Amino acid sequence: MKRIDVGNHGFQSVQELREKVGTPHEAVVKKNVGIVDDKARYFIAQSPMVMIATSNEKGQCDTSPRGDHLGFVHVANQKQLVIPERPGNRRVDTLCNIMENPHVGLLFLIPGMKEVLRVNGQATVIYGHEVLEKLELNGKVPPLGILVEVEECFIHCPRALKFSGIWEPQSWPSKDSLPSAAEIFKAHLAINSSVSSK
């Protein structure tokens, strides 16, 4: 495998980067607020999916999707929201990262809408609290939840989702041309088996 050698083609400082890309418009900076206002609350209420970005104490990053019914993320107030952690495969990568490093980044999506809502803050993994009852689904209260103390909230421009055509069925690849999740899963197990046997 031939690796890419960037040599002296990588930026060495933020100042050097800024000299290359310039500075953002004042409005782009000022759109960032420290609360979940009524408009953002409504956006979250219409979102069936949020991406959660975390990293561990070493800075190793992970992004995990969470999908559920519309408005499954509970906005408790302008500074706090709660994400249900329903039973899954028990890897709990996101939860383990939060235990080591509470900083999280959230990306809320609404099907068909090209803008996304970004929320950043600090998280705590909670259990047994009465707020989890508000996240009940089919008569079951999630055993765990992620409480996020909001530090930043802002709308993100539509450029990425617009250019990707992600909501346009005519741009989607044929499912027959794609490897299935099972095929990818088996291939990765084979890679690890090959490495561990050496």
Side-chain angles (χ1 to χ4, degrees):
M1 176 177 65
K2 185 177 180 180
R3 299 178 61 84
I4 296 174
D5 180 8
V6 298
N8 60 354
H9 296 280
F11 291 106
Q12 302 300 313
S13 68
V14 173
Q15 180 182 351
E16 187 181 352
L17 174 63
R18 279 296 177 200
E19 290 174 355
K20 183 69 174 179
V21 303
T23 56
H25 188 278
E26 182 181 9
V28 175
V29 176
K30 287 188 173 181
K31 71 177 181 177
N32 188 335
V33 297
I35 62 171
V36 177
D37 66 341
D38 290 342
K39 299 297 185 183
R41 177 189 288 264
Y42 185 72
F43 191 107
I44 293 171
Q46 300 303 310
S47 173
M49 174 163 281
V50 61
M51 305 293 183
I52 308 177
T54 59
S55 67
N56 61 20
E57 62 182 356
K58 296 179 181 178
Q60 296 168 317
C61 300
D62 180 73
T63 303
S64 178
R66 293 292 192 281
D68 218 315
H69 58 85
L70 290 183
F72 73 101
V73 174
H74 173 62
V75 179
N77 52 64
Q78 290 188 326
K79 293 294 290 184
Q80 295 177 309
L81 53 83
V82 186
I83 305 168
E85 184 67 21
R86 307 199 192 279
N89 61 13
R90 297 189 291 276
R91 278 188 58 120
V92 294
D93 297 319
T94 298
L95 305 188
C96 289
N97 282 349
I98 290 172
M99 298 302 295
E100 296 184 10
N101 177 0
H103 296 281
V104 298
L106 310 178
L107 188 69
F108 289 93
L109 295 94
I110 296 176
M113 187 169 182
K114 295 182 174 64
E115 291 81 7
V116 297
L117 185 73
R118 292 169 59 178
V119 176
N120 299 318
Q122 297 197 47
T124 302
V125 180
I126 63 174
Y127 68 95
H129 194 283
E130 60 185 16
V131 72
L132 294 175
E133 295 175 6
K134 297 181 180 297
L135 307 174
E136 178 183 325
L137 180 65
N138 298 326
K140 296 182 179 180
V141 176
L144 307 173
I146 300 172
L147 172 69
V148 178
E149 299 282 347
V150 176
E151 296 176 339
E152 296 181 301
C153 177
F154 55 99
I155 198 75
H156 191 95
C157 76
R159 180 185 299 270
L161 271 66
K162 178 181 179 181
F163 288 175
S164 71
I166 193 167
W167 304 128
E168 300 168 9
Q170 65 271 23
S171 72
W172 298 349
S174 168
K175 288 186 178 180
D176 294 336
S177 68
L178 302 174
S180 69
E183 289 173 330
I184 296 173
F185 183 76
K186 290 178 180 178
H188 289 181
L189 286 180
I191 291 172
N192 278 331
S193 297
S194 175
V195 170
S196 61
S197 65
K198 292 181 179 179

